[in-house]
Amino acid sequence: TKPPSLLSTIVPTTTATTTNNTNEKSSNSSPFMFGTNNMTSTFGTAVLSTGSSNTSIVKPETNVDDEGDGGGEDESYEPNVSFKPIIQLSAVEVKTGEEDENVLFCERGKLYRFDSGTNQMKERGTGEMKILQHKATHVCRVLMRREQVLKICANHQITSQMDLKVHQGSANAFIWSAMDFADGEAKHETLCIRFKTDEQAKNFQKVFNEAKEINTKKTGDVPSVGKISLNDETKSKPSINDDGITKY
C-alpha cells in the first residue's frame, strides 16, 4: 500500500460539509418578490412596515409675509438715500486762448526745430498745425500743440518778412524762422513742418503766404532763414544781423 500524501494529512477534506451547508441555506431562503414586506438579510431578519412611522421630518422654516412671498431680497429695491456735498464746487471754464480767433488752417503734421549745437533738425512734436486770425486785430499767428499732452510746441505771429521755403530733400516739408514763444519767452527758432500729403502742404503754404499779406510789418520781424539741410555735416559760420540775433 502507498503511504498517504503529505497534503491530505494536513488539510482535512471539507467538500461534502460545505455542499450540505449551502443546500440548507438555499432551502431556508425565499426568493425576493415585489410587494412583500419580509426580507432576509445576511445580518439578520428584518420586517419593513409600510405603515405610518413615528419619525418626524423637520422642514426648513421660511419667512412668509402677508402676500405669500418668501423672505428673499427684492432685486428691484432701490434705497432712497440722498447725499449732500459738504463743499459746493463751481464749474471751471477752461480757456485755451483761442476763443477770440478764427481757424484759417488746421492739419496734422510733425514739427522739427533746428539745433545749432548739432547743426541738425530735431523733432519737437506731432500734433495739429494751426494758423489762427484774431477777430478784432486780424493778426495771424502759428499755433501747434503736441498730441495727448497738448503742450505748446510752436506759438508765434506771422510777420511780413517771414520767408517760407520748401525743405530740400524732404517731401511736403517747409522751413521758416520766427521769434517763437512756445516756452513762455521769446526765442529765435528755425522750424520745419512736414505733412503727410502734398495737398496739406500746398494748402499750408497758401494760407501762410496769405497771412503774411494780412499782417503789417512790425519791429519784431525776423529775417528769412537760409537753406538748411537735415544731412549737413559741417556748420556754417554764424553771423549777427541788425537785430542782434545770431544766424547760422
Side-chain angles (χ1 to χ4, degrees):
T1 61
K2 296 181 180 180
S5 62
L6 180 60
L7 181 61
S8 61
T9 57
I10 297 176
V11 181
T13 304
T14 58
T15 305
T17 306
T18 305
T19 304
N20 295 331
N21 293 335
T22 305
N23 295 332
E24 292 177 359
K25 291 182 179 180
S26 300
S27 61
N28 293 331
S29 62
S30 60
F32 174 78
M33 296 180 63
F34 290 98
T36 60
N37 295 332
N38 293 334
M39 296 181 64
T40 59
S41 174
T42 55
F43 298 100
T45 303
V47 178
L48 298 180
S49 175
T50 58
S52 60
S53 174
N54 295 329
T55 304
S56 61
I57 300 175
V58 179
K59 296 182 179 180
E61 296 181 357
T62 57
N63 297 327
V64 181
D65 53 10
D66 296 338
E67 297 179 356
D69 297 335
E73 297 182 357
D74 188 1
E75 296 180 356
S76 62
Y77 172 75
E78 295 182 0
N80 186 14
V81 180
S82 61
F83 296 94
K84 295 182 179 180
I86 300 176
I87 301 175
Q88 296 289 341
L89 299 178
S90 59
V92 178
E93 184 180 359
V94 180
K95 293 184 178 181
T96 61
E98 306 174 26
E99 290 77 15
D100 298 330
E101 295 175 303
N102 295 323
V103 180
L104 303 181
F105 176 85
C106 181
E107 291 290 348
R108 186 175 183 271
K110 183 175 289 187
L111 185 69
Y112 297 86
R113 180 183 65 86
F114 180 72
D115 186 5
S116 59
T118 59
N119 198 35
Q120 293 180 350
M121 284 287 185
K122 292 187 177 180
E123 183 178 345
R124 189 165 177 84
T126 302
E128 290 185 344
M129 168 61 69
K130 296 181 180 180
I131 297 180
L132 307 176
Q133 183 181 26
H134 198 273
K135 297 178 181 178
T137 62
H138 302 288
V139 175
C140 300
R141 66 164 177 159
V142 168
L143 179 66
M144 183 172 178
R145 300 176 186 270
R146 296 178 182 175
E147 290 179 341
Q148 298 180 355
V149 296
L150 301 180
K151 183 178 179 180
I152 296 177
C153 54
N155 181 25
H156 61 268
Q157 291 185 2
I158 300 177
T159 62
S160 59
Q161 290 187 354
M162 286 185 182
D163 189 10
L164 186 68
K165 293 188 176 183
V166 178
H167 185 272
Q168 295 180 353
S170 181
N172 307 327
F174 296 95
I175 291 180
W176 73 100
S177 182
M179 189 66 69
D180 192 72
F181 291 84
D183 297 331
E185 56 183 8
K187 184 179 180 181
H188 179 257
E189 296 284 3
T190 300
L191 304 174
C192 175
I193 184 68
R194 186 176 65 184
F195 297 98
K196 185 176 181 181
T197 63
D198 181 66
E199 182 181 358
Q200 294 174 344
K202 290 181 179 180
N203 190 21
F204 173 77
Q205 185 181 27
K206 178 183 177 182
V207 177
F208 191 95
N209 292 330
E210 290 176 353
K212 285 174 55 179
E213 298 177 359
I214 295 174
N215 290 348
T216 58
K217 185 177 180 181
K218 300 180 181 299
T219 57
D221 287 352
V222 178
S224 59
V225 64
K227 295 181 180 180
I228 299 176
S229 176
L230 294 177
N231 299 324
D232 288 343
E233 296 181 356
T234 59
K235 298 181 181 179
S236 59
K237 294 182 179 180
S239 61
I240 300 177
N241 55 23
D242 297 336
D243 296 333
I245 298 175
T246 302
K247 178 181 177 183
Y248 290 86

